Amino acid sequence: MACLGAALGLRCTTRSLRRSHRSRRAGWLMLGAVSIGCGIWTMHFIGMIGFSVEDAPVSYDPVLTLLSLGVAIGVVAVGVFLVGYRDAAPLNLGVAGVVTGLGVAAMHYIGMAAIRTHGTLRYDVPTVTLSVLIAVVAATAALWAAVSIHSLWSSLGASLVMGVAVTGMHYTGMAAVSVHVSQQATASQSSADLMSFLLAMLAGPLTVLLIAAVIVMFDPDLVLGDGEWSPR
């Protein structure tokens, strides 16, 4: 999912810079930011489905879960618009990469804060720091690729690297977590109810990614026009 979101986001960003009216550039950049943000968040939340605590039920606070989605889209939009309108000069790229990387890390840890279980979550500070560093490096590389790589196959290759890097950040962050169970308890939420909640949370971002994929697939300028790129 992280790779898919990155691939769609890179193609939309490329489209915004190629023969697009400035009035349309914002729309393509926003679609790219939403695609990348939804891809990152969907990867994160699918990963969270695999998280369990022995002898304790796990559920999620819906408000914090949705907040983490909003943060993911918002910070990616900041970075994409910075490089989309102000180019990839080193200083601008560095600022955009740091802001976006810190935002992606914030998304992850807000999502972790949404966990409700009979225990206390504790974090290993050096591992958390490493996960934030990975997020910043991955975000900077992604933003550089968004404005520097324009061919279809190069974008797909870059999206694979981005997806692996962001996923690496997620599991580095998960490696920092330990749960100290305070009491044993039977699950207060059935598996069916929990799965229904998780599927409902995933439905929106997955629909957005599907719509973005359809738009990209039916835009011949994105798929076939790589040789005619010219920035505005």
Side-chain angles (χ1 to χ4, degrees):
M1 296 312 302
C3 292
L4 173 62
L8 294 172
L10 288 181
R11 299 312 292 163
C12 290
T13 305
T14 295
R15 181 62 177 85
S16 75
L17 301 175
R18 181 197 294 143
R19 303 194 305 275
S20 279
H21 288 235
R22 290 188 67 88
S23 60
R24 296 182 180 179
R25 178 178 293 188
W28 282 107
L29 289 174
M30 195 64 232
L31 181 61
V34 170
S35 298
I36 296 173
C38 285
I40 292 173
W41 185 87
T42 303
M43 173 278 299
H44 160 79
F45 205 61
I46 290 174
M48 294 307 300
I49 293 174
F51 177 73
S52 62
V53 179
E54 187 176 356
D55 298 325
V58 175
S59 60
Y60 296 88
D61 180 272
V63 174
L64 288 177
T65 300
L66 290 174
L67 176 62
S68 68
L69 173 60
V71 168
I73 295 173
V75 296
V76 171
V78 170
V80 166
F81 273 80
L82 278 175
V83 298
Y85 279 99
R86 303 187 62 180
D87 70 45
L91 179 59
N92 187 54
L93 181 62
V95 171
V98 169
V99 171
T100 304
L102 292 177
V104 170
M107 175 275 298
H108 173 83
Y109 290 107
I110 291 172
M112 291 297 296
I115 293 176
R116 297 290 178 262
T117 188
H118 294 288
T120 303
L121 273 65
R122 299 178 184 176
Y123 296 90
D124 178 69
V125 175
T127 309
V128 169
T129 303
L130 177 61
S131 72
V132 174
L133 179 61
I134 294 173
V136 170
V137 172
T140 304
L143 294 172
W144 172 84
V147 295
S148 303
I149 296 177
H150 309 297
S151 70
L152 175 61
W153 294 110
S154 296
S155 292
L156 292 178
S159 70
L160 291 176
V161 173
M162 288 169 52
V164 170
V166 173
T167 304
M169 175 269 155
H170 170 84
Y171 286 105
T172 301
M174 294 306 295
V177 179
S178 60
V179 181
H180 296 256
V181 178
S182 58
Q183 58 177 310
Q184 293 188 4
T186 57
S188 58
Q189 185 177 24
S190 71
S191 297
D193 290 341
L194 180 58
M195 186 56 65
S196 297
F197 168 77
L198 297 176
L199 292 176
M201 285 293 176
L202 287 171
L206 288 173
T207 301
V208 170
L209 289 173
L210 177 61
I211 293 172
V214 171
I215 293 173
V216 169
M217 288 173 60
F218 284 92
D219 190 319
D221 197 38
L222 273 174
V223 179
L224 303 174
D226 299 319
E228 301 179 21
W229 181 84
S230 62
R232 277 189 176 272

